[in-house]
Amino acid sequence: MSEPVMLTIAGSDPSGGAGVQADLKTATALGVYGASVLTALTAQNTTGVRGIHPVPARFVGEQLDAVLEDLDVRAVKIGMLGDADVIEAIASRLRERPEIPLVLDPVMVATSGDRLIPETAVAGIVESLLPITDLATPNLPETAVLAGLDVRSPDDFEAAGRAVLARGARNVLVKGGHLDGDEVIDVLVSADGAGRLINARIETPNTHGTGCTLSAAVAARLALGDLMADAVVTARAYLQRALIASVDRRIGAGHGPVDHLVDLRGEG
């Protein structure tokens, strides 16, 4: 059998903590081959985003064609996107490959608060990508946008997740990391029901790229053949280990990265 491939379709983070760079580190850490399609170049570091240079839709499509024609892609993760043309270039190709699980991290806002996509791209995500998505992993601001509902507490998560399901996604992981408290509560919602996933909150400034890392970890586990619920649980546990290992690290002056290679260092 050929080596399983996890493909990330996302933007580049030159500081290495988020985007394609985080996704490829995650794939390596979890034992799958990582491939990538770049949707944008960014000028950013741990303190914020300074600029974004989108990749033209035609070239995004050419990258995607090249990978899908050659590699044994067994799961796809989508992160930062550009305009509606880029979204349609991706969706039109992935519609033809329904056997490949798709994890959508609808990146709209960076940890620093910077807006990462234009308003016009939101409609493209809803209309073109959600209907082919096996798992969406929005944070609370993104969930509110996709669901069209206020999301203020874990009691709101299931209803918001079901609103996103109604727009086509097969599963939704509503992430509660933006809320205060000693615990981080996520809710996995599917047609079969909803379940809370709870971890202790790790006190660390190193939270840059956590959403990228989690969604990439789920895709990596799906590439290895996990069922969806198992992939989510395993991915969350990996992110928890990476956060714990980051507590004493100091990379950059702002929100540093998690320790993606914690398991390879034998520190988990």
Side-chain angles (χ1 to χ4, degrees), residues 106-133:
V107 177
M108 299 177 186
V109 183
T111 301
S112 59
D114 295 292
R115 189 76 184 222
L116 294 177
I117 64 170
E119 293 286 347
T120 53
V122 175
I125 290 174
V126 171
E127 295 169 9
S128 296
L129 287 179
L130 281 182
I132 59 172
T133 292

Side-chain angles (χ1 to χ4, degrees), residues 62-76:
E62 288 179 7
Q63 293 177 75
L64 186 50
D65 288 339
V67 173
L68 291 176
E69 289 169 6
D70 187 42
L71 303 185
D72 184 17
V73 176
R74 299 190 194 172
V76 173

